[in-house]
Amino acid sequence: DTGVSQDPRHKITKRGQNVTFRCDPISEHNRLYWYRQTLGQGPEFLTYFQNEAQLEKSRLLSDRFSAERPKGSFSTLEIQRTEQGDSAMYLCASSPRRGGEQFFGPGTRLTVL
Amino acid sequence: DAKTTQPPSMDCAEGRAANLPCNHSTISGNEYVYWYRQIHSQGPQYIIHGLKNNETNEMASLIITEDRKSSTLILPHATLRDTAVYYCIVRSLEGTASKLTFGTGTRLQVTL
């Protein structure tokens, strides 16, 4: 399967804990996006990488959130000191070019107790 | 990016055409209309996009009005597997990220 993969698919954590999610984009795609989706809503943009450079961040991405793409391949999204409001589906997408279609992974569902 | 308006839900009988409308009255001349769908518990899937001409691919057809203020996504022969939330997105290809701005979409239920 050469699609976008995300790990883990599900994560349950207690409030105050740190969590880290991983995204592996389609191999030749240099553009990578993170989105967050809460129940009943469409996905909301969090941040964007072109190769290893993080070029855009939404105001939704508070100081507790950090994303990296160290070698321009896989990416990680870390949430520190999780809150119940962080419970959501975290989606990763990749694209081969500016304005190209974005291919989404299956998402990581986070539940903060 | 311009805002879109879609009906919250629609039903369609299997085998019939599903016509999903979208209003985007504030669309700018350089903004495209994109359609994605999201099947339950999966990530969104690209369907089709267009600027001002009608477009067709193996999944669907996209009809954009001449004034570009609205569009219709057509699934010619809906099947049960087409049951999903369909998102109409107006997207500018300018700017750094060219991100997608999703609304709440239309929940299409295909029935026997």
Side-chain angles (χ1 to χ4, degrees):
Chain A
D1 187 346
T2 57
V4 177
S5 62
Q6 293 187 245
D7 183 72
R9 293 292 307 276
H10 303 274
K11 178 70 176 179
I12 300 174
T13 191
K14 294 182 178 179
R15 188 177 55 187
Q17 299 294 305
N18 299 343
V19 294
T20 300
F21 311 139
R22 177 178 170 125
C23 170
D24 286 272
I26 295 172
S27 60
E28 62 269 24
H29 289 184
N30 63 346
R31 297 168 183 266
L32 187 146
Y33 302 79
W34 284 98
Y35 292 83
R36 181 174 70 184
Q37 185 174 26
T38 54
L39 200 61
Q41 303 297 314
E44 297 174 292
F45 169 77
L46 290 178
T47 191
Y48 161 70
F49 288 85
Q50 185 170 330
N51 299 310
E52 67 277 8
Q54 187 175 19
L55 297 183
E56 189 167 334
K57 292 193 292 186
S58 163
R59 65 180 186 277
L60 293 175
L61 212 66
S62 76
D63 291 344
R64 296 185 297 106
F65 288 70
S66 62
E68 294 183 342
R69 195 183 182 197
K71 298 182 179 180
S73 56
F74 73 92
S75 176
T76 58
L77 177 68
E78 181 183 16
I79 308 175
Q80 295 183 328
R81 304 180 304 280
T82 53
E83 302 173 356
Q84 288 185 325
D86 297 331
S87 295
M89 176 76 83
Y90 290 84
L91 292 159
C92 175
S94 68
S95 179
R97 61 189 179 279
R98 178 180 174 185
E101 65 177 278
Q102 294 181 19
F103 295 80
F104 283 80
T108 294
R109 180 167 296 283
L110 173 66
T111 301
V112 181
L113 301 176
Chain B
D1 294 334
K3 182 179 172 59
T4 62
T5 303
Q6 299 178 253
S9 63
M10 294 182 64
D11 292 331
C12 179
E14 189 176 34
R16 305 297 291 268
N19 298 288
L20 291 91
C22 179
N23 287 323
H24 31 79
S25 58
T26 61
I27 191 169
S28 300
N30 62 351
E31 290 179 321
Y32 288 72
V33 179
Y34 278 73
W35 285 83
Y36 279 74
R37 74 179 182 183
Q38 188 171 24
I39 296 169
H40 183 62
S41 296
Q42 297 182 22
Q45 176 191 22
Y46 166 82
I47 301 173
I48 198 167
H49 76 281
L51 182 62
K52 55 183 177 181
N53 297 320
N54 297 338
E55 302 288 344
T56 296
N57 63 20
E58 65 278 5
M59 289 183 67
S61 294
L62 174 60
I63 308 298
I64 302 174
T65 58
E66 191 169 346
D67 64 7
R68 302 209 325 122
K69 293 185 177 182
S70 65
S71 61
T72 301
L73 178 74
I74 301 173
L75 307 179
H77 306 287
T79 70
L80 296 177
R81 287 176 294 181
D82 293 320
T83 293
V85 178
Y86 287 77
Y87 296 100
C88 169
I89 299 166
V90 170
R91 183 188 189 194
S92 171
L93 302 191
E94 299 176 2
T96 304
S98 191
K99 58 185 177 286
L100 297 170
T101 303
F102 292 82
T104 52
T106 295
R107 183 173 298 278
L108 176 68
Q109 180 69 52
V110 181
T111 57
L112 292 172

Coordinates of all heavy atoms in Angstrom, one line a residue, chain A residues 9 31 33 35 37 40-43 45 48 55-56 91 98-102 104-106, chain B residues 34 36 38 41-46 87 91 93-100 102-104:
Chain A
R9 N -3.5 4.4 15.1 CA -4.8 4.7 14.6 C -5.7 5.3 15.8 O -6.6 6.1 15.5 CB -5.5 3.5 14.0 CG -4.8 3.0 12.8 CD -4.9 4.0 11.6 NE -6.3 4.3 11.4 CZ -7.2 3.6 10.7 NH1 -6.7 2.5 10.1 NH2 -8.4 3.9 10.5
R31 N 5.0 17.9 0.0 CA 4.1 18.8 0.8 C 3.3 17.9 1.7 O 2.7 16.9 1.3 CB 3.2 19.6 -0.1 CG 4.0 20.5 -1.0 CD 3.1 21.1 -2.2 NE 3.9 21.9 -3.0 CZ 4.1 23.2 -2.9 NH1 3.4 23.9 -1.9 NH2 4.8 23.9 -3.7
Y33 N 0.6 18.1 5.2 CA -0.4 18.9 6.0 C -0.9 18.1 7.2 O -1.1 16.9 7.1 CB -1.6 19.2 5.1 CG -1.3 19.9 3.8 CD1 -0.8 19.3 2.7 CD2 -1.6 21.3 3.7 CE1 -0.6 20.0 1.5 CE2 -1.4 22.0 2.5 CZ -0.9 21.3 1.4 OH -0.6 22.0 0.3
Y35 N -4.3 18.2 9.8 CA -5.6 18.7 10.0 C -6.2 18.1 11.3 O -5.8 17.0 11.7 CB -6.6 18.4 8.9 CG -6.3 19.1 7.6 CD1 -5.4 18.6 6.7 CD2 -7.0 20.2 7.2 CE1 -5.1 19.2 5.5 CE2 -6.8 20.8 6.0 CZ -5.8 20.3 5.1 OH -5.6 20.9 3.9
Q37 N -10.0 17.1 13.2 CA -11.4 17.0 12.9 C -12.2 16.6 14.2 O -11.9 15.6 14.8 CB -11.7 16.0 11.8 CG -13.2 16.0 11.4 CD -13.4 15.1 10.2 OE1 -12.6 14.2 10.0 NE2 -14.5 15.3 9.5
G40 N -18.7 15.8 13.9 CA -19.7 16.6 13.2 C -19.2 17.8 12.4 O -20.0 18.5 11.8
Q41 N -17.9 18.0 12.5 CA -17.3 19.1 11.8 C -16.4 18.6 10.7 O -15.9 17.5 10.7 CB -16.5 20.0 12.7 CG -17.3 20.5 13.9 CD -18.4 21.4 13.5 OE1 -18.2 22.3 12.6 NE2 -19.6 21.2 14.0
G42 N -16.1 19.5 9.7 CA -15.1 19.1 8.7 C -13.7 19.3 9.3 O -13.5 20.0 10.3
P43 N -12.7 18.8 8.6 CA -11.3 18.9 9.1 C -10.9 20.4 9.1 O -11.3 21.2 8.2 CB -10.5 18.1 8.0 CG -11.5 17.1 7.5 CD -12.8 17.8 7.5
F45 N -7.5 23.0 9.2 CA -6.0 23.0 8.9 C -5.3 23.4 10.2 O -5.6 24.3 11.0 CB -5.8 24.1 7.9 CG -4.3 24.4 7.7 CD1 -3.5 23.6 6.9 CD2 -3.8 25.6 8.2 CE1 -2.2 23.9 6.7 CE2 -2.5 25.9 8.0 CZ -1.7 25.1 7.3
Y48 N 1.5 23.1 7.9 CA 1.9 22.7 6.5 C 3.4 22.7 6.4 O 4.1 23.6 6.9 CB 1.4 23.7 5.5 CG 2.0 23.7 4.1 CD1 1.9 22.6 3.3 CD2 2.8 24.8 3.7 CE1 2.5 22.6 2.0 CE2 3.5 24.8 2.5 CZ 3.3 23.7 1.7 OH 3.9 23.7 0.4
L55 N 6.1 25.9 7.0 CA 5.9 27.2 6.3 C 4.6 27.9 6.8 O 4.5 29.1 6.5 CB 5.9 27.0 4.8 CG 7.2 26.5 4.2 CD1 7.1 26.5 2.7 CD2 8.4 27.4 4.7
E56 N 3.7 27.1 7.4 CA 2.4 27.8 7.8 C 1.8 27.1 9.0 O 1.9 25.8 9.0 CB 1.4 27.9 6.6 CG 0.2 28.7 7.0 CD -0.7 29.0 5.7 OE1 -0.1 29.0 4.6 OE2 -1.9 29.3 5.9
L91 N -5.7 14.3 11.3 CA -5.5 13.8 9.9 C -4.2 14.3 9.3 O -3.9 15.5 9.5 CB -6.7 14.2 9.0 CG -8.0 13.5 9.4 CD1 -9.2 14.3 8.8 CD2 -8.1 12.1 8.8
R98 N 2.2 22.2 -5.5 CA 1.3 23.3 -5.0 C 0.0 23.3 -5.7 O -0.1 23.2 -7.0 CB 2.0 24.6 -5.3 CG 1.2 25.9 -4.9 CD 2.0 27.1 -5.3 NE 1.3 28.3 -5.1 CZ 1.7 29.5 -5.4 NH1 2.9 29.6 -6.0 NH2 1.0 30.5 -5.1
G99 N -1.1 23.2 -4.9 CA -2.4 23.2 -5.5 C -2.9 21.8 -5.9 O -4.0 21.7 -6.4
G100 N -2.0 20.8 -5.8 CA -2.4 19.5 -6.2 C -3.4 18.9 -5.2 O -3.6 19.4 -4.1
E101 N -4.0 17.8 -5.6 CA -4.9 17.1 -4.7 C -4.2 16.6 -3.5 O -3.0 16.3 -3.6 CB -5.7 16.0 -5.4 CG -4.8 14.9 -5.9 CD -5.6 13.8 -6.5 OE1 -6.2 12.9 -5.7 OE2 -5.7 13.7 -7.7
Q102 N -4.8 16.7 -2.4 CA -4.2 16.2 -1.2 C -4.7 14.8 -0.9 O -5.9 14.5 -0.9 CB -4.6 17.1 0.0 CG -3.9 18.5 -0.2 CD -4.2 19.4 1.0 OE1 -4.6 19.0 2.1 NE2 -4.0 20.7 0.7
F104 N -5.2 11.9 1.8 CA -5.3 11.9 3.3 C -5.0 10.5 3.8 O -5.3 9.4 3.2 CB -6.7 12.3 3.7 CG -6.9 13.7 3.7 CD1 -7.2 14.4 2.5 CD2 -6.8 14.5 4.9 CE1 -7.4 15.8 2.5 CE2 -7.1 15.9 4.8 CZ -7.4 16.5 3.7
G105 N -4.4 10.4 5.0 CA -4.3 9.2 5.7 C -5.6 8.8 6.4 O -6.5 9.6 6.4
P106 N -5.6 7.7 7.1 CA -6.8 7.3 7.9 C -7.0 8.0 9.1 O -8.1 7.9 9.7 CB -6.5 5.8 8.1 CG -5.0 5.7 8.2 CD -4.5 6.7 7.2
Chain B
Y34 N -13.4 22.6 -5.4 CA -13.0 21.2 -5.2 C -14.1 20.5 -4.5 O -14.8 21.0 -3.7 CB -11.7 21.2 -4.3 CG -10.4 21.5 -5.0 CD1 -10.1 22.7 -5.5 CD2 -9.5 20.4 -5.2 CE1 -8.9 22.9 -6.1 CE2 -8.3 20.6 -5.8 CZ -8.0 21.9 -6.3 OH -6.8 22.1 -6.9
Y36 N -14.4 16.9 -2.1 CA -13.9 15.8 -1.4 C -15.0 15.0 -0.8 O -16.1 15.6 -0.5 CB -12.9 16.2 -0.3 CG -11.5 16.5 -0.8 CD1 -11.2 17.7 -1.5 CD2 -10.4 15.7 -0.6 CE1 -10.0 18.0 -2.0 CE2 -9.2 15.9 -1.0 CZ -8.9 17.1 -1.7 OH -7.7 17.4 -2.1
Q38 N -15.9 12.0 2.5 CA -15.3 11.3 3.6 C -16.3 10.2 4.0 O -17.4 10.5 4.5 CB -15.1 12.3 4.8 CG -14.3 11.6 6.0 CD -13.9 12.6 7.0 OE1 -14.5 13.7 7.1 NE2 -12.8 12.3 7.8
S41 N -15.2 7.0 9.2 CA -14.0 6.5 9.9 C -12.8 6.5 8.9 O -11.8 5.8 9.2 CB -14.2 5.1 10.5 OG -15.1 5.2 11.5
Q42 N -12.9 7.2 7.8 CA -11.7 7.3 6.9 C -11.3 8.7 6.7 O -12.1 9.6 7.0 CB -12.1 6.7 5.5 CG -12.4 5.2 5.6 CD -12.7 4.6 4.2 OE1 -12.3 5.2 3.2 NE2 -13.4 3.5 4.2
G43 N -10.2 8.9 6.1 CA -9.8 10.3 5.7 C -10.5 10.8 4.5 O -11.0 10.0 3.7
P44 N -10.6 12.1 4.3 CA -11.2 12.6 3.1 C -10.5 12.1 1.8 O -9.3 11.8 1.8 CB -11.1 14.1 3.2 CG -10.9 14.3 4.7 CD -10.1 13.2 5.2
Q45 N -11.3 12.0 0.7 CA -10.9 11.5 -0.5 C -11.2 12.5 -1.6 O -12.4 13.0 -1.7 CB -11.6 10.1 -0.9 CG -11.2 9.6 -2.2 CD -12.2 8.4 -2.6 OE1 -13.3 8.3 -2.1 NE2 -11.7 7.6 -3.5
Y46 N -10.2 12.8 -2.4 CA -10.4 13.8 -3.5 C -11.4 13.2 -4.5 O -11.3 12.0 -4.9 CB -9.1 14.1 -4.2 CG -9.2 14.8 -5.5 CD1 -9.4 16.2 -5.6 CD2 -9.1 14.1 -6.7 CE1 -9.5 16.8 -6.8 CE2 -9.2 14.7 -7.9 CZ -9.4 16.1 -8.0 OH -9.5 16.7 -9.2
Y87 N -17.9 17.2 0.7 CA -17.4 18.6 1.0 C -17.2 19.3 -0.3 O -16.4 18.9 -1.1 CB -16.2 18.6 1.9 CG -16.3 18.0 3.2 CD1 -15.9 16.7 3.5 CD2 -16.8 18.7 4.3 CE1 -16.0 16.1 4.7 CE2 -16.9 18.2 5.6 CZ -16.5 16.9 5.8 OH -16.6 16.3 7.0
R91 N -11.1 26.9 -3.2 CA -9.7 26.9 -2.9 C -8.9 27.8 -3.8 O -8.9 27.8 -5.0 CB -9.1 25.5 -3.0 CG -7.7 25.3 -2.6 CD -7.3 23.9 -3.0 NE -5.9 23.5 -2.5 CZ -5.2 22.5 -2.9 NH1 -5.7 21.7 -3.8 NH2 -4.1 22.2 -2.3
L93 N -5.2 28.7 -5.2 CA -3.9 28.1 -5.4 C -2.8 29.0 -5.1 O -1.6 28.7 -5.3 CB -3.8 27.5 -6.8 CG -4.9 26.5 -7.1 CD1 -4.6 25.8 -8.4 CD2 -5.1 25.5 -6.0
E94 N -3.1 30.3 -4.7 CA -2.0 31.2 -4.3 C -1.7 31.0 -2.8 O -2.4 30.3 -2.1 CB -2.5 32.6 -4.6 CG -2.8 32.9 -6.0 CD -3.4 34.3 -6.3 OE1 -3.5 35.0 -5.3 OE2 -3.7 34.6 -7.5
G95 N -0.7 31.7 -2.4 CA -0.4 31.5 -0.9 C 0.5 30.3 -0.8 O 0.7 29.5 -1.7
T96 N 1.1 30.2 0.4 CA 2.1 29.2 0.6 C 1.6 27.8 0.7 O 2.0 26.9 0.0 CB 2.9 29.5 1.9 OG1 3.4 30.9 1.9 CG2 4.0 28.5 2.2
A97 N 0.6 27.6 1.5 CA 0.1 26.3 1.8 C -0.9 25.8 0.8 O -1.0 24.6 0.6 CB -0.5 26.2 3.2
S98 N -1.7 26.7 0.3 CA -2.9 26.2 -0.6 C -3.7 25.2 0.2 O -4.0 24.1 -0.4 CB -2.3 25.7 -1.9 OG -3.4 25.5 -2.8
K99 N -4.0 25.5 1.4 CA -4.7 24.5 2.3 C -6.2 24.4 1.9 O -6.7 25.2 1.2 CB -4.6 25.0 3.7 CG -5.2 26.4 4.0 CD -5.0 26.8 5.4 CE -5.5 28.2 5.7 NZ -4.6 29.2 5.1
L100 N -6.8 23.3 2.4 CA -8.2 23.1 2.2 C -9.0 23.6 3.4 O -8.6 23.4 4.5 CB -8.5 21.6 2.0 CG -7.8 20.9 0.8 CD1 -7.9 19.4 0.9 CD2 -8.4 21.4 -0.5
F102 N -12.5 23.2 4.9 CA -13.7 22.4 4.9 C -14.8 23.1 5.6 O -14.6 23.7 6.7 CB -13.4 21.0 5.6 CG -12.5 20.1 4.8 CD1 -11.1 20.3 4.9 CD2 -13.0 19.1 4.0 CE1 -10.3 19.4 4.3 CE2 -12.1 18.2 3.3 CZ -10.8 18.4 3.5
G103 N -16.0 22.9 5.1 CA -17.2 23.3 5.9 C -17.8 22.0 6.6 O -17.0 21.1 6.9
T104 N -19.1 22.0 6.8 CA -19.7 20.8 7.4 C -20.2 19.8 6.4 O -20.6 18.7 6.8 CB -20.8 21.2 8.4 OG1 -21.7 22.1 7.7 CG2 -20.3 22.0 9.6

